[in-house]
Amino acid sequence: MTLDFAGFSSETLHNALEEPLDKVRSGRLAPESITVRLLLPDTTAPMAVPVLVDGLQDEAALRQRARNIALTNVGGIAHSVEMLAELGLVRKASVQVKVHRASSLFKLYILNRSEAFFGFYPLRERTVAIDDTDHTFYDVTGKDTTLFHHAAGPDDASLGSQYVQQAQMWFDSVWSTIAYERQS
């Protein structure tokens, strides 16, 4: 089983993986291996989102908040997936993470190079207290994203096949060119 994800923090993915990974633990699913690649924005540099509403200015505290959310979810995904190999339930399990300097305004999941789920992040104005100071900012809302499903068809010429191929090509090109290992 392979899963490539491009998006903001992997928070929704972390939640969505719980059920299928529980099925592996209970023996109802038995993949030979699980490989997960996560492509996330580099929150150590200014980004288009999150950004303060007032003047669309960068705010380091908002990026640190986003970083903490991503680190929590990436850590949870890695632990859950890698535990399956430690328990001997899959032969091999790996989670790799790379970051890039672009803001994620959409999310993309590619399963086994044969299915793709794509959705645009809605932007919302939010106010959050960080260190007892309110920050009003624009943020992506992954849980509100409508995902569009595309599946590879019986031949390479079908619309679904072309979509999945192009999505995989895009992911692989970003992964192998401008993405880099995240600094802890």
Side-chain angles (χ1 to χ4, degrees):
M1 198 288 289
T2 63
L3 171 61
D4 289 336
F5 170 79
F8 192 73
S9 71
S10 70
E11 182 177 15
T12 307
L13 174 62
H14 183 205
N15 294 328
L17 281 175
E18 289 180 25
E19 182 180 346
L21 294 179
D22 283 346
K23 287 181 179 179
V24 173
R25 277 191 286 282
S26 70
R28 292 184 290 165
L29 290 176
E32 185 174 314
S33 66
I34 300 174
T35 301
V36 178
R37 295 189 302 173
L38 306 172
L39 190 56
L40 306 172
D42 184 350
T43 54
T44 64
M47 304 180 335
V49 178
V51 63
L52 292 172
V53 169
D54 185 22
L56 301 179
Q57 295 179 17
D58 176 60
E59 174 61 52
L62 294 174
R63 286 189 285 108
Q64 184 61 44
R65 176 184 174 275
R67 182 177 174 81
N68 291 342
I69 292 169
L71 289 173
T72 297
N73 289 288
V74 166
I77 290 168
H79 174 76
S80 296
V81 169
E82 293 165 357
M83 182 61 68
L84 297 175
E86 290 176 23
L87 295 172
L89 298 172
V90 295
R91 183 180 54 78
K92 181 182 171 197
S94 69
V95 176
Q96 298 172 286
V97 181
K98 286 189 175 183
V99 297
H100 55 83
R101 292 193 180 128
S103 292
S104 294
L105 299 176
F106 64 86
K107 63 169 71 178
L108 171 68
Y109 304 85
I110 306 170
L111 301 173
N112 296 323
R113 297 182 168 265
S114 64
E115 291 184 88
F117 296 85
F118 176 88
F120 297 101
Y121 286 123
L123 297 179
R124 303 274 193 264
E125 183 176 317
R126 303 181 57 194
T127 300
V128 173
I130 301 173
D131 296 327
D132 297 325
T133 302
D134 283 346
H135 293 76
T136 301
F137 63 105
Y138 294 117
D139 196 12
V140 297
T141 52
K143 292 179 182 177
D144 296 333
T145 301
T146 299
L147 294 176
F148 298 94
H149 178 241
H150 304 273
D155 62 69
D156 288 346
S158 72
L159 183 59
S161 293
Q162 290 180 42
Y163 190 93
V164 173
Q165 289 168 8
Q166 290 299 308
Q168 189 69 63
M169 188 176 3
W170 174 85
F171 185 94
D172 291 340
S173 71
V174 174
W175 186 267
S176 64
T177 59
I178 64 170
Y180 46 93
E181 300 285 327
R182 148 196 332 254
Q183 301 299 314
S184 297

